[in-house]
Amino acid sequence: MRSAAVVGTGLIGTSIALALRGRGVTPHLLDADPQAARLAADLGAGVVGAPRTPVDLAVIAVPPQHVASVLKEHQLSGLAHDFTDVASVKARPRREAAALGCDLTRYVGGHPMGGREVSGPLAAQGDLFQGRPWVLTPGADVRERTVDRARALAELCGARPVLMEPDRHDRAVALVSHAPHLVSSLLAARLLDGEEAQLRLAGQGLRDVTRVAAGDVDLWTDILGSNAAAVADVLAEFALELGSVVDALRELGESAPERHPAGRARLAAALTRGVRGRARLPARTPAGPGLRLSGVAAGN
């Protein structure tokens, strides 16, 4: 990949552009807000404006609900030979792109698994995706060259490409990203009822658990709404376990805990499941050759 364009110069788009600049590719920066594109350019992320001739790859870095329409617009304008996106939901944007008549032979969905709780170009980092998975969800009719260019983009950003079907991706991120964000937000909302003296006692544990709750509300409303069914499935299971724990705590609060062995057992079981679940998270790995895990193929 010798040339690129980035459409959408928020946190993710500008971080991608900075990474590409660091690898010798100067992206063309486009944004519905010209000031955002100029700010990204001032940070060294690229040059503002469309190229005179089509670039190799255009990166659509907009929220999920806008991916299809932006893809259609820039395919018609001849911005690039091939296209990818970086939205955190994959199945719905692809269906919408098909309905709009986009050329899906020149498009592959993508999702870099990296981000921050702050947004905008000023929050961008050129190493944001270093060592992180970068999911690619190519359709059956996509050209091999398009997939190669999307894979090259991920590798230029220091990420590890992973091939996955769109629906499977959406179920995965519902579990590891979208539902946790909503749980973090709901827990952080409890702090609105806290007294100042109580909040001054907060330690790092609470800050860690609620960190992502500071994310952009409009963006996360779009993300959660675009992956609503998968997120609801995860939260339904969570709600069942939470209800069981609440019942156990009510029992234990009525009198001496030793008089309610069943409640103590349910509480201990919930904590044990948490320890076991946390232990299943893989250690972060540096960028390098892809892996094949449980039917998920990661490219080199």
Side-chain angles (χ1 to χ4, degrees):
M1 189 178 65
R2 296 166 297 179
S3 57
V6 174
V7 183
T9 51
L11 166 67
I12 301 300
T14 303
S15 293
I16 290 171
L18 287 170
L20 291 177
R21 279 301 298 270
R23 298 299 297 272
V25 178
T26 300
H28 293 265
L29 307 174
L30 299 89
D31 198 292
D33 178 2
Q35 179 58 32
R38 287 193 293 268
L39 181 54
D42 290 343
L43 295 172
V47 296
V48 177
R52 287 179 291 181
T53 58
V55 296
D56 289 336
L57 183 70
V59 183
I60 308 299
V62 300
Q65 67 172 325
H66 301 301
V67 167
S69 61
V70 172
L71 175 63
K72 180 69 172 181
E73 173 189 352
H74 289 293
Q75 283 191 335
L76 289 174
S77 73
L79 175 63
H81 296 295
D82 294 299
F83 294 81
T84 187
D85 77 283
V86 290
S88 65
V89 181
K90 300 270 65 83
R92 182 171 177 178
R94 179 177 173 80
R95 289 195 301 269
E96 293 173 345
L100 287 178
C102 295
D103 183 356
L104 299 184
T105 68
R106 299 191 295 125
Y107 162 73
V108 57
H111 180 203
M113 299 300 295
R116 303 181 66 194
E117 69 275 13
V118 288
S119 59
L122 288 176
Q125 298 176 339
D127 62 352
L128 186 62
F129 312 109
Q130 189 69 36
R132 301 294 185 89
W134 188 306
V135 181
L136 300 176
T137 58
D141 52 351
V142 68
R143 298 185 303 180
E144 183 177 352
R145 186 182 69 180
T146 305
V147 179
D148 288 343
R149 282 175 169 164
R151 180 184 287 115
L153 170 69
E155 292 172 345
L156 287 170
C157 292
R160 296 181 290 110
V162 177
L163 299 183
M164 187 176 284
E165 295 177 353
D167 288 332
R168 187 177 182 189
H169 163 275
D170 290 354
R171 292 193 298 271
V173 294
L175 175 65
V176 303
S177 175
H178 299 170
H181 186 101
L182 192 50
V183 170
S184 176
S185 295
L186 295 174
L187 181 59
R190 299 305 93 219
L191 302 177
L192 294 172
D193 299 325
E195 300 174 1
E196 291 297 325
Q198 294 173 320
L199 299 182
R200 283 196 291 269
L201 300 180
Q204 191 59 43
L206 179 63
R207 298 180 191 279
D208 289 343
V209 171
T210 60
R211 178 182 61 82
V212 297
D216 183 88
V217 171
D218 290 338
L219 173 62
W220 275 98
T221 299
D222 185 355
I223 291 171
L224 294 167
S226 297
N227 200 23
V231 175
D233 287 343
V234 176
L235 290 180
E237 295 295 325
F238 177 78
L240 288 175
E241 292 204 51
L242 183 61
S244 177
V245 169
V246 169
D247 290 342
L249 291 171
R250 295 293 187 200
E251 291 178 5
L252 293 171
E254 291 175 356
S255 58
E258 60 270 15
R259 296 182 58 185
H260 297 281
R264 286 176 59 86
R266 289 207 304 276
L267 184 58
L271 294 171
T272 299
R273 283 174 55 79
V275 171
R276 291 171 55 200
R278 179 66 172 78
R280 293 196 66 201
L281 290 177
R284 288 185 180 177
T285 57
L291 304 176
R292 183 178 294 273
L293 300 173
S294 302
V296 179
N300 293 325

